[in-house]
Structures are given as C-alpha cells and as structure tokens.
Amino acid sequence: MEELVHLGVADGVATLTLDSPHNRNALSAQLREELREHLATAVADDAVRVVVLDHTGPVFCAGMDLKESRSADAESQGVQEFPAILEQIWTSPKPVVAKLAGPARAGGVGIVAACDIAVAVDTATFAFSEVRIGVVPAVISVTVLPRLAARQAHELFLTGETFDARRAAEIGLVNSAVPAEQLDAEVKRYTDMLALGGPKALAATKEMLTARRPAAMDEAFGQMLELSAEHFAGEEGQEGMRAFAEKRKPSWVPDALK
C-alpha cells in the first residue's frame, strides 16, 4: 500500500502531510495508524522543535472515512484510535501547527482544534456536520469546546452550518485566515517564533495551558511559583538568560534562525 501520511524534517520543523486526496484525506484506518506513528516519531526526534500538519489536495480533512464507519464494529470505526490521535496532538510536548489550504469537516475540525496554532486560507470552510447524518460530534467536542464560547458551540454543533475561515478566526477555532499566496509565509512566521522557545519551557507551558487549575487562588499561585522557580534555576533557563546577556541566540535555536 502507498503511504497516506508522509513525514519530512527540515530546520527543526517536522511536516506531516496527509496524502489521501481520493477521499478528501478522510480518517481511514490506514491514515489514522500512519498519523499516530509519524506523530510519535516527530515527538521523539530531538532535532524536531515544531510539528506542522499539512495536506495534499483541496481538502485538509473530511473527518472519519464514512465508508469504513458504516460498519457497526467499534474498532473499524476508529472509536478508540481517533481520541488517541487528538490526545497525542493536544498533549504533544512540541507545538503543533495545522496548515489548512482547504476545508475541514467533523473529525478534521477536531484535529484543527487539538493543534496549538491553526492557519487557514481565507477560502477554507468548516462545519460540524455530524448531526446532519444522525450522529453526535462527541469525541471532537473534547478538543473543540475549549476553543469556543458556549453560544457559538451550541449554534454550530446543533445546526451543522458551514462557516468560513474568517469566522473560524473570530471564534477562536483558527489563529489566522490569510489569502492562499500568504499561507506558506504565515505558517513559517509561526514556526519560526515557536522554534525560538526553549524545548523544555515550551513543553511545560503547553502542560500549564491545558492543566486544570485549583479552585483556590493560593494553591494555584503555589503551583505556579514552583513551576517558575524550577525553570529559572534549570539548565535551559540559565542558558537563555546567559544568551540574553551576551546578545546571542540560545543554543536550542535552530541554525537556520541564528
């Protein structure tokens, strides 16, 4: 079988490209398996600082492969695999950037929401189309709902309405919506900025951003003071402060950005 997800690494950026245009990059069993494997490889690679999810063809991802999902068998529907993919992206210690040159639907939107940064062409469209085929956008709600205000989530989940990239940016689903000719440059702008951060600091900041905060403010401050002190005193923090004083880039910055 031909590979449906490709992995390439250059200048500290691992690019995972969904390459199944015949079914609009739907989340087939093969694509899910390869996506999980390549994500794990990218995260384990010390040379990788940032992960980009890209695609071939006019559609970023159409969601689950409905031909496979017609089966009543939970395993063939990817009930277990797909949440694992979303969690893998959400909890990745390395920032993950979604690059959309086209639409996303259903599970594809869940992937976009799981990423730390999402950049889309202004012609891209989105929809939570599950209710229109009689199913529930349950799994993707775990990553999507933290991005949206409740009123917007109720409207878009219940109606299944298609909305454009400009609105996706307004409601927090994507960070930026740009003309097609600016897409590569906008993604590079983000990956360059992300690669300037210390790897351990980025991982800890991601974990902090997604962690549940204690209800008591004094407990929250206690946890954050401990986290802050750990990284100020750590090897990476000390190197960063030395680099600042010496007016140079820290050692972790890829050579292409120095």
Side-chain angles (χ1 to χ4, degrees), residues 24-257:
R24 303 188 303 165
N25 290 318
L27 296 162
S28 63
Q30 182 187 344
L31 189 145
R32 294 193 306 268
E33 180 181 2
E34 292 177 6
L35 180 55
R36 289 191 67 186
E37 289 177 354
H38 286 322
L39 279 168
T41 299
V43 167
D45 187 347
D46 290 339
V48 171
R49 303 298 314 290
V50 184
V51 178
V52 174
L53 295 186
D54 199 354
H55 66 102
T56 64
V59 176
F60 174 74
C61 179
M64 299 303 294
D65 188 325
L66 294 182
K67 289 183 179 179
E68 292 183 354
S69 296
R70 286 174 191 160
S71 166
D73 177 59
E75 184 175 350
S76 66
Q77 291 176 359
V79 170
Q80 301 301 325
E81 285 181 335
F82 187 49
I85 291 171
L86 296 181
E87 184 174 4
Q88 195 174 9
I89 297 170
W90 187 271
T91 62
S92 164
K94 300 177 181 182
V96 183
V97 179
K99 177 184 177 183
L100 290 84
R105 294 289 185 271
V109 187
I111 288 177
V112 172
C115 295
D116 300 287
I117 304 288
V119 180
V121 292
D122 53 14
T123 55
T125 59
F126 304 81
F128 303 103
S129 50
E130 287 88 344
V131 293
R132 296 197 177 188
I133 60 170
V135 298
V136 178
V139 171
I140 66 168
S141 71
V142 177
T143 57
V144 173
L145 292 182
R147 307 295 188 197
L148 307 183
R151 182 68 70 185
Q152 296 153 346
H154 278 243
E155 173 194 347
L156 297 171
F157 272 50
L158 292 171
T159 65
E161 178 187 21
T162 299
F163 55 100
D164 62 22
R166 296 295 185 189
R167 187 173 187 200
E170 290 171 0
I171 65 178
L173 183 61
V174 304
N175 297 81
S176 182
V178 297
E181 63 271 17
Q182 296 178 21
L183 181 62
D184 288 342
E186 182 73 343
V187 171
K188 188 175 187 303
R189 185 175 75 86
Y190 277 112
T191 58
D192 284 354
M193 289 191 292
L194 291 166
L196 295 176
K200 293 179 181 177
L202 286 169
T205 301
K206 276 200 63 172
E207 185 176 358
M208 178 193 70
L209 287 168
T210 57
R212 183 172 297 176
R213 292 294 179 97
M217 183 175 285
D218 61 343
E219 186 179 351
F221 276 130
Q223 289 182 1
M224 292 303 102
L225 281 169
E226 184 178 346
L227 177 64
S228 179
E230 176 187 347
H231 285 271
F232 263 96
E235 179 181 346
E236 189 174 272
Q238 291 296 306
E239 160 62 10
M241 287 182 278
R242 281 195 302 270
F244 179 81
E246 296 167 6
K247 296 181 171 54
R248 61 174 174 81
K249 297 291 186 184
S251 59
W252 62 73
V253 173
D255 290 340
L257 298 178

